[in-house]
Structure formats: structure tokens, C-alpha cells
Amino acid sequence: MIRGVYIALIAFLFVSCDSNRLYEKNISIENDVWSLSQVPSFEFENTDTVSDVRLIVNVRHSSIYPFSNLWLFIHTESPEGTNSVDTLETTLSQKDGKWLGDGLGDIWDLQSDFKTVCLEEPGTYRFKIEQAMRHGNLSKIEALPGVMEIGLRIENIE
């Protein structure tokens, strides 16, 4: 009996710790090298058309990532077919080279707030995240070594 209460309490704590999460999915990057041709996509079924939500981009990378930031294009398609593209700069390290986020060994996880928005249409929203890194001469960087996963998280706002 007491053992069952402990198990129920632990299960409740795990569920309640992340009660704001509406959606979260992370997609592995093939061979930990993010090429321009790989554009992770996400689908979120929206039922709440009045509350604001927070959109967050998840990045998992290794210490071999050669830059201090990551530029992204985030494509959004509403259920009615309206398309938009936003640009997000995610800062991955401080100026002194110290990685930001949570790390274990040489792997780092970082969540970057994208925007707060009200998804006003019911139905399926589609998001695509495209790497947008450029060289100094503005040519596209074809492959980014050290990027392991890209994800999207959608949260309720308290």
C-alpha cells in the first residue's frame, strides 16, 4: 500500500514538473552534420484559439560546433494555409567561448525563446526549421558540424 503511494507520488511529480508543455519534438540530425537540404518539420494540432503560447527552439550540439551562434529561418504554415518566415539568432556560447545551456561532457542542450503568439486558427500548424548560417561573404554554409538535434517546444504561458 505505502509502495503504491510512493509510486503514484513520483509519477505525479514527473507529470506536474512539465505541465506547461503542449508539444515538444526533437529531430536527430543525420551524422551530427546539419546540411542545408535537411529541414526538420513539426506539426502541432491547435485547439486553443484564444490563449498565448510560447514557441521555443531546442538545440542539442556538441563542443565541435564551430560557431558561437546559430541563425535559423522558421517557416510557419497555419491551418488555413497562410505562410510566414521568421529569423532567429540563437546564441550558443559566451564571448569567452563558454557554452550556454545544460551540458554533459561535450554535449550541450539549449532552449531559445522564439516568440509568444496566439495561434488563432484551430487545426494543424506546420513548422519547419532551416539553418541559415552564412560565411563572411554571405554565401551559405552547406553543412554545420556538431549539430545533433533540432526541436520545437510549445508551452502555455502561466
Side-chain angles (χ1 to χ4, degrees), residues 91-155:
T91 302
L92 301 178
S93 73
Q94 297 174 355
K95 291 192 185 298
D96 64 4
K98 182 178 184 235
W99 294 111
L100 301 172
D102 296 321
L104 181 61
D106 71 340
I107 298 174
W108 297 89
D109 292 308
L110 183 80
Q111 291 189 319
S112 183
D113 284 348
F114 167 43
K115 67 179 175 180
T116 299
V117 65
C118 179
L119 302 174
E120 297 174 344
E121 300 172 19
T124 304
Y125 279 80
R126 290 175 179 81
F127 300 90
K128 293 181 181 179
I129 302 178
E130 176 184 6
Q131 68 103 331
M133 294 295 286
R134 303 290 185 260
H135 290 287
N137 62 6
L138 299 182
S139 64
K140 296 177 182 178
I141 297 176
E142 296 293 325
L144 292 175
V147 180
M148 303 169 76
E149 289 183 356
I150 294 295
L152 178 69
R153 178 181 172 97
I154 301 174
E155 292 181 342

XYZ file of all heavy atoms in Angstrom, residues 91-155:
514
model
N 22.054 32.253 -29.525
C 23.416 32.379 -29.018
C 23.754 31.111 -28.241
O 23.058 30.754 -27.290
C 23.544 33.614 -28.106
O 23.167 34.769 -28.862
C 24.966 33.773 -27.596
N 24.804 30.409 -28.667
C 25.186 29.138 -28.064
C 26.331 29.257 -27.070
O 26.505 28.391 -26.214
C 25.559 28.131 -29.155
C 24.467 27.815 -30.177
C 24.992 26.848 -31.223
C 23.234 27.266 -29.506
N 27.152 30.313 -27.200
C 28.261 30.463 -26.252
C 28.490 31.934 -25.928
O 28.111 32.826 -26.680
C 29.549 29.842 -26.805
O 30.096 30.632 -27.830
N 29.138 32.139 -24.799
C 29.523 33.480 -24.389
C 30.732 33.916 -25.206
O 31.361 33.117 -25.895
C 29.880 33.481 -22.903
C 28.733 33.116 -22.014
C 29.156 32.992 -20.555
O 30.332 33.091 -20.203
N 28.179 32.766 -19.678
N 31.092 35.185 -25.105
C 32.242 35.713 -25.846
C 33.546 35.004 -25.487
O 34.425 34.873 -26.317
C 32.375 37.218 -25.611
C 31.254 38.013 -26.244
C 31.566 39.486 -26.238
C 30.433 40.327 -26.757
N 30.052 40.102 -28.110
N 33.651 34.501 -24.240
C 34.866 33.807 -23.826
C 34.884 32.340 -24.277
O 35.809 31.602 -23.956
C 35.055 33.892 -22.308
C 33.955 33.187 -21.521
O 33.060 32.554 -22.120
O 33.992 33.259 -20.274
N 33.851 31.910 -25.011
C 33.816 30.554 -25.529
C 33.083 29.561 -24.652
O 32.907 28.407 -25.031
N 32.631 29.970 -23.472
C 31.903 29.066 -22.580
C 30.511 28.805 -23.152
O 29.760 29.731 -23.437
C 31.795 29.666 -21.183
C 31.089 28.749 -20.215
C 31.035 29.348 -18.818
C 30.405 28.333 -17.901
N 29.278 28.800 -17.182
N 30.196 27.517 -23.318
C 28.903 27.137 -23.881
C 27.779 27.483 -22.915
O 27.920 27.355 -21.702
C 28.869 25.646 -24.194
C 29.804 25.231 -25.282
C 30.921 24.464 -25.140
C 29.724 25.558 -26.670
N 31.536 24.294 -26.352
C 30.822 24.958 -27.316
C 28.840 26.298 -27.445
C 31.055 25.066 -28.683
C 29.076 26.416 -28.811
C 30.163 25.817 -29.405
N 26.646 27.899 -23.461
C 25.445 28.187 -22.685
C 24.549 26.956 -22.681
O 24.703 26.055 -23.501
C 24.705 29.378 -23.302
C 25.495 30.678 -23.382
C 24.725 31.714 -24.185
C 25.802 31.194 -21.986
N 23.587 26.918 -21.792
C 22.654 25.799 -21.727
C 23.132 24.749 -20.746
O 24.016 24.979 -19.923
N 22.518 23.586 -20.836
C 22.847 22.465 -19.955
C 23.784 21.526 -20.686
O 23.511 21.132 -21.816
C 21.581 21.712 -19.551
C 20.637 22.576 -18.736
O 21.139 23.359 -17.900
O 19.410 22.484 -18.925
N 24.878 21.163 -20.031
C 25.866 20.310 -20.679
C 26.193 19.073 -19.876
O 26.112 19.065 -18.652
N 26.554 18.042 -20.610
C 27.045 16.812 -20.013
C 28.149 16.317 -20.922
O 27.906 15.979 -22.074
C 25.924 15.771 -19.900
C 26.316 14.447 -19.257
C 26.801 14.657 -17.821
C 25.128 13.490 -19.261
N 29.373 16.346 -20.419
C 30.507 16.003 -21.273
C 30.678 17.076 -22.331
O 30.788 18.251 -22.022
N 30.667 16.666 -23.591
C 30.797 17.658 -24.671
C 29.489 17.846 -25.429
O 29.482 18.313 -26.563
C 31.936 17.265 -25.612
C 31.612 16.053 -26.463
O 30.709 15.288 -26.089
O 32.255 15.883 -27.508
N 28.360 17.511 -24.814
C 27.043 17.686 -25.434
C 26.280 18.755 -24.665
O 26.226 18.733 -23.431
C 26.261 16.358 -25.447
C 27.012 15.333 -26.292
C 24.843 16.568 -25.982
C 26.414 13.950 -26.257
N 25.687 19.690 -25.411
C 25.010 20.829 -24.814
C 23.580 20.933 -25.327
O 23.326 20.776 -26.521
C 25.774 22.113 -25.134
C 27.133 22.069 -24.519
C 28.278 21.570 -25.074
C 27.474 22.477 -23.210
N 29.315 21.651 -24.192
C 28.843 22.211 -23.033
C 26.762 23.046 -22.168
C 29.512 22.500 -21.843
C 27.429 23.337 -20.995
C 28.787 23.063 -20.850
N 22.651 21.218 -24.413
C 21.244 21.433 -24.748
C 20.875 22.866 -24.391
O 21.164 23.337 -23.289
C 20.342 20.481 -23.957
C 20.507 19.045 -24.383
O 20.409 18.769 -25.586
O 20.738 18.179 -23.504
N 20.222 23.516 -25.339
C 19.834 24.904 -25.133
C 18.421 25.100 -25.671
O 18.085 24.596 -26.749
C 20.798 25.833 -25.877
C 20.573 27.322 -25.698
C 21.156 27.781 -24.367
C 21.202 28.091 -26.828
N 17.610 25.828 -24.912
C 16.299 26.227 -25.384
C 16.329 27.721 -25.635
O 16.797 28.489 -24.798
C 15.211 25.884 -24.365
C 14.992 24.390 -24.219
C 13.780 24.079 -23.379
O 13.537 24.720 -22.359
N 13.012 23.093 -23.800
N 15.840 28.110 -26.800
C 15.865 29.511 -27.192
C 14.436 29.972 -27.478
O 13.761 29.422 -28.354
C 16.737 29.663 -28.444
O 16.854 31.009 -28.812
N 13.975 30.981 -26.703
C 12.635 31.513 -26.956
C 12.572 32.082 -28.360
O 13.424 32.882 -28.761
C 12.295 32.609 -25.947
C 11.933 32.067 -24.582
O 11.716 30.849 -24.459
O 11.865 32.864 -23.627
N 11.575 31.652 -29.090
C 11.377 32.134 -30.453
C 10.406 33.301 -30.438
O 10.742 34.416 -30.800
C 10.906 30.967 -31.320
C 10.365 31.350 -32.657
C 10.985 32.289 -33.438
C 9.233 30.729 -33.143
C 10.489 32.635 -34.682
C 8.734 31.062 -34.386
C 9.350 32.019 -35.151
N 9.187 33.058 -29.988
C 8.238 34.155 -29.852
C 7.026 33.695 -29.066
O 6.784 32.497 -28.896
C 7.824 34.723 -31.211
C 7.012 33.811 -32.105
C 6.673 34.550 -33.409
C 5.976 33.679 -34.410
N 5.669 34.414 -35.631
N 6.269 34.673 -28.598
C 4.990 34.431 -27.946
C 3.917 34.858 -28.928
O 3.999 35.938 -29.521
C 4.896 35.239 -26.637
O 5.945 34.811 -25.770
C 3.557 35.028 -25.970
N 2.930 33.995 -29.096
C 1.926 34.235 -30.128
C 0.613 33.567 -29.734
O 0.604 32.611 -28.956
C 2.433 33.695 -31.492
C 2.590 32.186 -31.474
C 1.553 34.127 -32.634
N -0.481 34.069 -30.271
C -1.769 33.398 -30.152
C -2.019 32.694 -31.485
O -2.031 33.336 -32.540
C -2.887 34.397 -29.866
S -4.510 33.617 -29.739
N -2.156 31.375 -31.429
C -2.464 30.606 -32.639
C -3.982 30.652 -32.803
O -4.714 29.869 -32.204
C -1.933 29.178 -32.505
C -0.429 29.068 -32.255
C -0.028 27.624 -31.998
C 0.364 29.646 -33.417
N -4.448 31.589 -33.618
C -5.869 31.942 -33.663
C -6.739 30.993 -34.469
O -7.954 31.088 -34.413
C -6.021 33.368 -34.198
C -5.364 34.394 -33.297
C -5.378 35.794 -33.872
O -5.618 35.945 -35.095
O -5.158 36.729 -33.092
N -6.131 30.075 -35.207
C -6.913 29.146 -36.020
C -6.845 27.746 -35.413
O -5.778 27.289 -35.025
C -6.353 29.101 -37.453
C -6.386 30.431 -38.162
C -5.652 30.400 -39.501
O -5.426 29.306 -40.045
O -5.295 31.479 -39.980
N -7.979 27.058 -35.345
C -7.927 25.666 -34.906
C -7.402 24.796 -36.047
O -7.573 25.127 -37.221
C -9.393 25.335 -34.596
C -10.164 26.246 -35.496
C -9.340 27.501 -35.632
N -6.726 23.722 -35.691
C -6.222 22.809 -36.718
C -4.727 22.634 -36.639
O -4.080 22.996 -35.655
N -4.157 22.103 -37.716
C -2.748 21.723 -37.736
C -1.864 22.865 -38.221
O -2.007 23.337 -39.348
C -2.540 20.494 -38.643
O -3.381 19.436 -38.179
C -1.089 20.039 -38.624
N -0.953 23.274 -37.340
C 0.098 24.226 -37.704
C 1.331 23.422 -38.081
O 1.673 22.440 -37.427
C 0.430 25.158 -36.532
C -0.533 26.300 -36.378
C -1.760 26.103 -35.751
C -0.229 27.563 -36.867
C -2.659 27.154 -35.608
C -1.118 28.611 -36.731
C -2.333 28.405 -36.104
O -3.220 29.450 -35.961
N 2.010 23.837 -39.139
C 3.242 23.176 -39.571
C 4.397 24.160 -39.438
O 4.304 25.296 -39.892
C 3.106 22.700 -41.009
C 2.139 21.553 -41.143
C 1.901 21.126 -42.593
N 0.994 20.003 -42.653
C -0.331 20.103 -42.577
N -0.890 21.280 -42.432
N -1.088 19.024 -42.626
N 5.474 23.684 -38.822
C 6.672 24.489 -38.620
C 7.846 23.762 -39.266
O 7.969 22.545 -39.149
C 6.965 24.666 -37.125
C 5.868 25.342 -36.359
C 4.850 24.600 -35.772
C 5.849 26.718 -36.212
C 3.834 25.216 -35.058
C 4.846 27.347 -35.500
C 3.820 26.588 -34.911
N 8.699 24.512 -39.941
C 9.944 23.975 -40.491
C 11.073 24.858 -40.001
O 10.950 26.083 -40.008
C 9.919 23.954 -42.022
C 8.909 22.977 -42.588
C 8.948 22.973 -44.101
C 7.910 22.001 -44.641
N 7.909 21.984 -46.101
N 12.175 24.222 -39.596
C 13.332 24.970 -39.099
C 14.502 24.708 -40.029
O 14.936 23.579 -40.205
C 13.671 24.577 -37.652
C 12.461 24.829 -36.742
C 14.895 25.358 -37.169
C 12.670 24.419 -35.302
N 14.988 25.787 -40.619
C 16.057 25.717 -41.623
C 17.285 26.443 -41.083
O 17.160 27.549 -40.546
C 15.540 26.396 -42.895
C 16.501 26.516 -44.009
C 15.900 27.301 -45.187
O 14.773 27.841 -45.094
O 16.600 27.392 -46.200
N 18.457 25.826 -41.197
C 19.666 26.526 -40.777
C 19.957 27.645 -41.775
O 19.786 27.486 -42.974
C 20.848 25.570 -40.581
C 21.390 24.913 -41.830
C 22.680 25.560 -42.305
O 22.924 26.747 -42.101
N 23.501 24.783 -42.971
N 20.369 28.794 -41.246
C 20.550 29.987 -42.072
C 21.932 30.597 -41.894
O 22.110 31.808 -42.056
C 19.468 31.010 -41.722
N 22.921 29.779 -41.580
C 24.278 30.290 -41.345
C 24.925 30.707 -42.666
O 24.725 30.079 -43.697
C 25.119 29.243 -40.631
C 24.641 28.928 -39.222
S 24.791 30.310 -38.083
C 26.561 30.327 -37.831
N 25.715 31.775 -42.590
C 26.394 32.325 -43.763
C 27.866 32.555 -43.445
O 28.241 32.820 -42.309
C 25.773 33.666 -44.181
C 24.281 33.610 -44.487
C 24.014 32.853 -45.762
N 22.620 32.866 -46.168
C 21.771 31.870 -45.969
N 22.146 30.785 -45.338
N 20.534 31.954 -46.400
N 28.691 32.490 -44.488
C 30.106 32.878 -44.378
C 30.187 34.401 -44.378
O 29.202 35.084 -44.664
C 30.901 32.343 -45.581
C 31.080 30.861 -45.581
N 31.929 30.204 -44.736
C 30.498 29.903 -46.353
C 31.881 28.906 -44.975
N 31.013 28.696 -45.940
N 31.361 34.933 -44.118
C 31.567 36.380 -44.131
C 31.185 37.015 -45.455
O 30.758 38.157 -45.508
N 31.315 36.262 -46.559
C 30.951 36.807 -47.875
C 29.478 36.563 -48.193
O 29.047 36.732 -49.329
C 31.840 36.198 -48.966
C 31.670 34.694 -49.066
O 30.822 34.104 -48.404
N 32.487 34.063 -49.888
N 28.712 36.147 -47.196
C 27.274 35.908 -47.268
C 26.876 34.662 -48.065
O 25.700 34.450 -48.312
C 26.519 37.138 -47.790
C 26.654 38.391 -46.922
C 25.839 39.528 -47.511
C 26.240 38.130 -45.487
N 27.834 33.836 -48.456
C 27.454 32.575 -49.091
C 26.990 31.603 -48.003
O 27.425 31.661 -46.857
C 28.632 31.984 -49.876
O 29.681 31.644 -48.999
N 26.074 30.729 -48.379
C 25.503 29.779 -47.425
C 26.549 28.770 -46.961
O 27.392 28.339 -47.741
C 24.345 29.018 -48.076
C 23.184 29.883 -48.445
C 22.110 29.061 -49.139
C 20.958 29.945 -49.568
N 19.933 29.176 -50.280
N 26.471 28.414 -45.699
C 27.303 27.338 -45.167
C 26.545 26.041 -45.423
O 25.445 25.850 -44.908
C 27.603 27.546 -43.671
C 28.414 28.825 -43.481
C 28.327 26.335 -43.088
C 28.687 29.185 -42.037
N 27.108 25.186 -46.243
C 26.408 23.978 -46.696
C 26.184 22.961 -45.593
O 25.201 22.228 -45.618
C 27.184 23.325 -47.846
C 27.262 24.182 -49.095
C 25.909 24.375 -49.775
O 25.084 23.450 -49.764
O 25.685 25.478 -50.307
N 27.097 22.862 -44.628
C 26.969 21.855 -43.581
C 27.527 22.396 -42.270
O 28.599 22.993 -42.245
C 27.699 20.588 -43.983
N 26.789 22.163 -41.185
C 27.197 22.611 -39.863
C 27.546 21.393 -39.007
O 26.654 20.664 -38.565
C 26.065 23.381 -39.181
C 25.702 24.726 -39.778
C 24.477 25.298 -39.072
C 26.871 25.680 -39.657
N 28.830 21.153 -38.745
C 29.213 20.016 -37.905
C 28.864 20.288 -36.443
O 28.899 21.424 -35.978
C 30.723 19.928 -38.102
C 31.142 21.313 -38.460
C 29.987 21.911 -39.225
N 28.518 19.218 -35.740
C 28.279 19.319 -34.315
C 26.845 19.579 -33.913
O 26.534 19.593 -32.725
N 25.932 19.779 -34.865
C 24.517 19.941 -34.526
C 23.902 18.551 -34.487
O 23.922 17.829 -35.480
C 23.774 20.843 -35.531
C 22.314 20.975 -35.138
C 24.431 22.213 -35.616
N 23.377 18.169 -33.341
C 22.889 16.811 -33.130
C 21.374 16.695 -33.243
O 20.854 15.713 -33.776
C 23.343 16.314 -31.766
C 24.864 16.368 -31.603
S 25.400 16.089 -29.924
C 25.171 14.328 -29.839
N 20.643 17.690 -32.725
C 19.179 17.672 -32.764
C 18.648 19.093 -32.834
O 19.241 20.015 -32.269
C 18.584 17.022 -31.508
C 18.776 15.541 -31.401
C 18.090 14.961 -30.165
O 17.523 15.713 -29.341
O 18.138 13.725 -30.016
N 17.514 19.220 -33.503
C 16.761 20.465 -33.527
C 15.339 20.114 -33.119
O 14.790 19.096 -33.561
C 16.773 21.117 -34.927
C 18.183 21.561 -35.293
C 15.796 22.294 -35.003
C 18.744 22.666 -34.416
N 14.747 20.956 -32.288
C 13.407 20.645 -31.825
C 12.544 21.877 -31.678
O 13.020 23.012 -31.725
N 11.265 21.610 -31.494
C 10.281 22.671 -31.262
C 9.499 22.315 -30.011
O 9.089 21.163 -29.829
C 9.329 22.798 -32.447
C 8.224 23.845 -32.296
C 8.807 25.258 -32.309
C 7.175 23.696 -33.384
N 9.327 23.305 -29.170
C 8.525 23.153 -27.950
C 7.490 24.258 -27.952
O 7.808 25.421 -28.252
C 9.426 23.235 -26.724
C 8.678 23.139 -25.396
C 9.665 23.255 -24.244
N 8.959 23.350 -22.981
C 8.729 22.314 -22.166
N 9.128 21.107 -22.499
N 8.097 22.494 -21.035
N 6.258 23.918 -27.583
C 5.177 24.894 -27.460
C 4.647 24.783 -26.038
O 4.300 23.695 -25.577
C 4.065 24.637 -28.498
C 4.657 24.715 -29.918
C 2.933 25.646 -28.331
C 3.699 24.343 -31.014
N 4.613 25.943 -25.341
C 4.211 25.961 -23.937
C 3.053 26.916 -23.709
O 2.951 27.957 -24.365
C 5.360 26.467 -23.058
C 6.542 25.600 -22.937
C 7.596 26.212 -22.022
O 7.574 27.435 -21.739
O 8.447 25.436 -21.570
